[in-house]
């Protein structure tokens, strides 16, 4: 079996990383090797999330790792990206957990919450003692979040929340839901703690993808909230979209890990496997596929490294993140499909991680901004003409 | 308790080693460097002793070049309190390294030195023993279990065909074997804290030691490639080949 966490570094990009960044990468890689790979296939098969890994991930500082203060590690964005990359070399579901906790739930509070909300929630979330989820998507509103039907109306000093959110990662295991809703002034965010009367969750089963991750529906029926449950700085769609930009940034890095794992698997397999008395890797068609994989992964690495530099310099544009998300997820999905094909019948069994990565990446292609929508975002950016609004 | 943990920078065990064409050494381009895994185990043990005792001082010591700072930072990120790098740009043999360490031990006065039983690059397995001899301290090599009570130390060590238990008084030198523990990860908060920890550099020339090499590496060569096995047709043929060719029966 291939070393699934082996590096792929055709352009000596390691030299462009600082020693701290390499240390972070190595820590996460060791963690995945020791703690994730031995049990991930079982979790995927059983449709269970490896919740037992949360305390250790928290102790190692993976949650909100690029946020400053409030008990967060305060790493730079390249180190954060490397965490996502190595987690997703294990499983996209585990990376999704970290993404949602960090970039969606914690970042919502970090960017749009009050000082009191930040002090109350962020340290506990960094410690993994409080799990968050992010409710934006609804049954009838995915790529079009502005059409959301969840509403909050004023009621005395507080609010009453009604509506349904769907496809919510971590939903039923979350202690705190960050929920975006329409109010008369526009869109804003609310923090709804588990156990609040009228707030229930229901898990979505029958998934063929992200089976080691929890996906739920959040249901709000006349949920009474105090005004201090509102994110005071969240005004308009800009607030949740800024969180999605953070999440897409992490995804752009993450999928490189999944693609790399598929590449190593296909490379080792085709070098070993003989058909017509010689290794598959000796055939031109197979070499063409392997070289395509190498090339696309390397290009994606370069895009991420530059994107990380821009983010650290506060110069990153959301459109650049759309570029990276679209390109990198597209390439990872294509590589996983190629690897699945190259492994032949072995490509469909869980003795190899390829089919799991492939199935997971179908989700990643859709969530946090679907491939086609990212295309339209970029199309609007270069033409000045919106094809979807 | 003050504990000193010497660490060496070595190529990652997963790295494919290539020997330079002239046999003078290994190609170091594109090599990933790590703390010698046995030294990492030594560091883990030192950290556990400190945690068990509720305090103390764990200092790292390396003898090497500027780049060795990276491994010291990794050790600090794992939890060591401070680090000393004796800067030496010339290659040093095991005796010279032990002399430098003995000098630093004399200055630092730790109550315990824990070091890996050997470095995975040259597999010399000498420095710990030499250091104990130079200091006149007890030594317990290949430790698989360490227990400390006051100034008394008990070490279980792996020997051929079993285990041996040694009891001795501190200060002492212990060398760590593979099964002593499983080293922790460098956590992200640990990595951030390591930025602020002391990393002191001492030029090796300032120590006034005789470091002239007593050992010369004449050449390095890769192991011969293994010959492919061959299939035999029957038990009789196998027995015949073992007798006439392999000459083992």
């Amino acid at each position: 079996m291939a070393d699934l966490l082996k590096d792929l570094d055709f352009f000596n990009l390691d030299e462009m990383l600082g020693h701290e960044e390499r240390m972070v990468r190595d820590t996460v890689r060791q963690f995945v090797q020791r703690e994730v790979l031995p049990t991930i296939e079982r979790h995927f098969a059983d449709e269970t999330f490896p919740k037992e890994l949360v305390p250790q991930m928290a102790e190692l500082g993976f949650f909100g790792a690029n946020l400053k203060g409030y008990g967060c590690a305060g790493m730079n964005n390249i180190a954060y990206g490397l965490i996502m990359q190595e987690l997703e070399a294990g499983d996209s579901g585990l990376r999704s957990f970290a993404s949602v906790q960090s970039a969606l739930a914690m970042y919502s509070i970090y960017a749009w919450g009050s000082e009191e909300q930040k002090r109350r929630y962020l340290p506990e979330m960094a410690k993994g003692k409080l799990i968050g989820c992010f409710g934006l998507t609804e049954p009838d509103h995915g790529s079009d979040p502005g059409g959301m039907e969840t509403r909050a109306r004023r009621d005395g000093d507080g609010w009453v929340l009604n509506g349904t959110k769907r496809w919510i990662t971590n939903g039923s295991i979350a202690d705190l839901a960050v929920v975006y809703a329409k109010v008369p002034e526009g869109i804003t965010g609310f923090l709804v703690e588990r156990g609040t009367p009228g707030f229930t969750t229901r898990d979505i089963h029958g998934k063929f993808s992200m089976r080691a991750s929890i996906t739920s529906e959040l249901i709000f029926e006349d949920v009474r909230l105090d005004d201090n449950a509102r994110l005071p700085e969240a005004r308009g769609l800009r607030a949740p979209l800024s969180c999605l930009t953070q999440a897409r940034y992490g995804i752009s890095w993450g999928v490189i890990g999944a693609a790399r794992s598929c590449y190593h698997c296909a490379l080792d397999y085709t070098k070993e496997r003989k058909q017509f008395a010689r290794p598959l890797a000796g055939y031109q068609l197979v070499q063409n596929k392997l070289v395509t994989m190498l090339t696309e992964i390397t290009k994606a690495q370069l895009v991420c490294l530059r994107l990380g530099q821009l983010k650290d310099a506060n110069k990153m544009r959301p459109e650049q993140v759309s570029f990276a998300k679209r390109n990198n997820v597209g390439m990872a999905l294509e590589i996983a499909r190629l690897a699945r094909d190259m492994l032949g019948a072995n490509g469909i069994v869980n003795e190899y991680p390829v089919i799991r990565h492939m199935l997971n990446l179908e989700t990643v292609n859709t969530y946090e901004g679907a491939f086609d929508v990212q295309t339209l975002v970029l199309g609007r950016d270069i033409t000045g003409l919106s094809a979807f609004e | 308790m003050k504990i000193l943990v010497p660490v060496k920078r070595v190529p990652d065990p997963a790295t494919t080693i290539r020997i330079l064409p002239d046999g003078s050494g290994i190609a170091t381009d594109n090599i990933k460097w790590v703390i010698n895994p046995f030294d990492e185990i030594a560091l883990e043990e030192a950290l556990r002793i400190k945690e068990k005792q509720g305090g103390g001082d764990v200092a790292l010591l390396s003898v090497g070049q500027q780049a060795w700072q990276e491994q010291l930072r990794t050790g600090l990120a794992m939890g060591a309190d401070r680090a000393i790098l004796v800067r030496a740009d010339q290659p040093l043999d095991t005796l010279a390294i032990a002399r430098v360490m003995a000098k630093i031990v004399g200055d630092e006065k730790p109550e315990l030195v824990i070091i890996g039983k050997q470095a995975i690059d040259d597999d010399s397995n000498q420095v710990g023993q030499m250091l104990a001899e130079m200091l006149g301290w007890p030594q317990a090599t290949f430790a698989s279990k360490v227990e400390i009570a006051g100034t008394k130390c008990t070490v279980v060590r792996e020997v051929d065909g079993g285990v041996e238990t040694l009891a001795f008084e501190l200060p002492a030198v212990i060398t760590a074997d593979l099964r002593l523990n499983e080293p922790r990860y460098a956590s992200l908060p640990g990595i951030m804290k390591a930025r602020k920890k002391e990393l002191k550099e001492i030029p090796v020339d300032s120590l006034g030691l005789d470091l002239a090499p007593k050992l010369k590496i004449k050449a390095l060569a890769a192991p011969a490639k293994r010959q492919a096995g061959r299939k035999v047709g029957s038990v009789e043929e196998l027995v015949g080949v073992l007798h006439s060719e392999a000459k083992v029966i």
Side-chain angles (χ1 to χ4, degrees), chain B residues 80-97:
Chain B
D81 297 292
R82 58 200 177 91
I84 302 163
L85 173 61
V86 178
R87 275 291 301 278
D89 293 331
Q90 71 273 37
L92 297 174
D93 63 14
T94 47
L95 186 63
I97 296 279

Side-chain angles (χ1 to χ4, degrees), chain A residues 50-361:
Chain A
K51 205 176 171 187
E52 65 276 9
L53 298 179
V54 172
Q56 203 178 357
M57 289 168 78
E59 197 182 316
L60 290 171
F62 296 174
F63 301 140
N66 59 344
L67 305 182
K68 309 256 185 297
Y70 307 102
C72 301
M75 309 296 304
N76 69 20
N77 286 292
I78 290 178
Y80 174 81
L82 290 165
I83 298 171
M84 297 296 138
Q85 174 185 294
E86 296 307 319
L87 286 178
E88 194 148 359
D91 188 79
S92 302
L94 197 68
R95 198 268 307 137
S96 295
F97 179 89
S99 277
V100 168
Q101 179 79 350
S102 306
L104 295 179
M106 290 176 77
Y107 187 82
S108 282
I109 299 169
Y110 184 79
W112 310 109
S114 68
E115 189 56 34
E116 190 204 330
Q117 288 167 336
K118 291 183 209 178
R119 285 201 195 138
R120 178 164 172 200
Y121 293 116
L122 291 178
E124 292 297 294
M125 294 175 91
K127 280 185 214 146
K129 290 188 176 151
L130 203 136
I131 294 173
C133 68
F134 178 86
L136 178 64
T137 297
E138 299 186 354
D140 295 326
H141 303 278
S143 297
D144 172 26
M148 69 172 65
E149 292 167 41
T150 299
R151 281 187 164 60
R153 65 174 163 80
R154 277 274 184 193
D155 179 47
D157 294 343
W159 299 85
V160 174
L161 182 67
N162 276 289
T164 303
K165 298 290 177 181
R166 194 168 162 85
W167 308 112
I168 308 306
T169 301
N170 300 349
S172 67
I173 54 169
D175 305 291
L176 182 71
V178 179
V179 184
Y180 289 89
K182 270 191 184 151
V183 294
E185 298 81 26
I187 287 169
T188 189
F190 291 94
L191 303 175
V192 185
E193 293 185 10
R194 178 215 285 275
T196 306
F199 171 34
T200 52
T201 63
R202 185 163 55 209
D203 282 345
I204 297 168
H205 293 293
K207 291 182 294 172
F208 283 74
S209 175
M210 292 286 185
R211 289 178 58 85
S213 167
I214 306 283
T215 313
S216 322
E217 198 164 63
L218 313 180
I219 301 136
F220 305 95
E221 290 169 311
D222 291 328
V223 176
R224 179 97 175 74
L225 298 169
D226 288 341
D227 191 47
N228 61 17
R230 188 173 51 89
L231 293 172
E233 306 302 325
R235 294 183 201 101
L237 206 50
R238 194 174 129 243
L241 293 189
S242 75
C243 303
L244 290 178
T245 298
Q246 304 299 314
R248 269 175 215 142
Y249 172 81
I251 290 169
S252 305
W253 280 91
V255 291
I256 293 172
R260 195 184 68 197
S261 170
C262 291
Y263 165 79
H264 282 306
C265 224
L267 177 63
D268 279 29
Y269 185 87
T270 55
K271 278 164 79 176
E272 289 286 322
R273 170 93 170 169
K274 285 187 182 144
Q275 291 292 285
F276 306 103
R278 60 194 175 99
L280 288 177
Y283 289 94
Q284 291 183 357
L285 282 172
V286 174
Q287 288 192 1
N288 184 37
K289 288 173 187 161
L290 289 170
V291 171
T292 299
M293 291 172 157
L294 168 75
T295 308
E296 292 306 318
I297 293 172
T298 302
K299 281 151 68 178
Q301 288 171 332
L302 285 161
V303 167
C304 273
L305 209 48
R306 179 60 187 148
L307 193 66
Q309 290 172 346
L310 289 169
K311 193 170 191 309
D312 278 336
N314 285 320
K315 289 185 194 161
M316 184 181 82
R317 298 170 57 223
E319 289 78 7
Q320 292 166 328
V321 188
S322 292
F323 178 113
K325 201 263 180 186
R326 177 183 181 277
N327 179 74
N328 292 12
V329 179
M331 78 85 197
L333 182 54
E334 184 58 29
I335 283 171
R337 288 171 178 163
L338 278 173
R340 212 297 307 145
D341 173 63
M342 291 158 81
L343 263 65
N346 283 309
I348 69 162
V349 289
N350 67 3
E351 194 181 329
Y352 297 88
V354 171
I355 186 86
R356 179 169 50 82
H357 282 309
M358 191 194 92
L359 294 168
N360 283 339
L361 288 164

Side-chain angles (χ1 to χ4, degrees), chain A residues 12 15 19-20 22-27 29-31 34-35 56 59-62 65 73-75 83, chain B residues 14 30 32-34 40 69-71 73-75 77 182-189 191-192 194-195:
Chain A
N12 302 353
E15 290 178 12
H19 178 243
E20 273 182 11
R22 279 181 274 132
M23 265 198 280
V24 169
R25 194 249 335 257
D26 292 349
T27 288
R29 192 174 285 172
Q30 281 173 15
F31 167 80
R34 279 195 222 161
E35 319 290 342
Q56 203 178 357
E59 197 182 316
L60 290 171
F62 296 174
M75 309 296 304
I83 298 171
Chain B
N30 279 333
K32 196 182 152 198
W33 298 94
V34 297
E40 212 174 24
Q69 279 199 4
E70 289 195 350
Q71 280 59 50
R73 287 275 169 221
T74 304
E182 189 178 15
R184 68 194 62 193
Y185 310 106
S187 73
L188 274 57
I191 291 168
M192 296 302 274
R195 282 185 184 171

Side-chain angles (χ1 to χ4, degrees), chain B residues 12-249:
Chain B
D12 187 322
T15 303
T16 310
I17 299 293
R18 284 179 300 115
I19 291 175
L20 292 172
D22 65 0
S24 63
I26 62 167
T28 53
D29 50 315
N30 279 333
I31 278 189
K32 196 182 152 198
W33 298 94
V34 297
I35 298 178
N36 172 39
F38 291 111
D39 295 340
E40 212 174 24
I41 294 169
L43 171 57
E44 175 65 33
E45 198 61 22
L47 295 173
R48 287 184 190 188
I49 293 169
K50 181 186 158 181
E51 283 160 4
K52 208 170 167 186
Q53 297 189 342
D57 172 69
V58 176
L60 300 166
L61 168 64
S62 271
V63 188
Q65 300 158 25
Q66 183 75 31
W68 291 44
Q69 279 199 4
E70 289 195 350
Q71 280 59 50
L72 291 173
R73 287 275 169 221
T74 304
L76 292 172
M78 284 173 68
D81 297 292
R82 58 200 177 91
I84 302 163
L85 173 61
V86 178
R87 275 291 301 278
D89 293 331
Q90 71 273 37
L92 297 174
D93 63 14
T94 47
L95 186 63
I97 296 279
R99 278 190 180 138
V100 172
M101 287 182 183
K103 175 80 174 79
I104 299 295
V105 169
D107 296 341
E108 288 282 328
K109 302 185 176 53
E111 293 148 274
L112 178 62
V113 175
I114 314 183
I115 182 172
K117 66 169 181 174
Q118 66 199 66
I120 60 152
D121 51 0
D122 55 21
D123 280 336
S124 292
N125 184 0
Q126 294 175 351
V127 170
Q129 293 89 329
M130 287 176 172
L131 178 62
E133 175 62 24
M134 287 172 190
L135 297 169
W137 287 6
Q139 58 173 292
T141 55
F142 310 127
S144 61
K145 195 174 176 197
V146 174
E147 275 183 42
I148 292 172
T151 60
K152 295 196 188 314
C153 183
T154 312
V155 166
V156 177
R157 58 191 299 267
E158 299 188 359
V159 294
D160 283 347
V163 292
E164 179 182 49
T165 304
L166 300 178
F168 49 90
E169 287 277 329
L170 297 176
V173 175
I174 295 173
T175 78
D177 209 335
L178 187 65
R179 278 165 288 276
L180 181 56
N181 58 49
E182 189 178 15
R184 68 194 62 193
Y185 310 106
S187 73
L188 274 57
I191 291 168
M192 296 302 274
K193 276 188 206 141
R195 282 185 184 171
K196 297 198 182 97
K197 289 180 178 173
E198 179 191 87
L199 198 163
K200 185 164 78 176
E201 278 197 29
I202 302 172
V204 74
D205 296 339
S206 72
L207 300 177
L209 299 168
D210 170 17
L211 303 174
K214 302 281 187 288
L215 193 72
K216 188 170 179 241
I217 295 174
K218 294 182 76 174
L220 292 178
K225 277 210 167 156
R226 279 183 64 185
Q227 298 291 317
R230 83 169 195 264
K231 282 185 180 167
V232 292
S234 66
V235 174
E236 290 73 24
E237 192 188 339
L238 175 65
V239 172
V241 169
L242 287 175
H243 183 70
S244 63
E245 288 181 33
K247 298 188 197 309
V248 292
I249 54 173

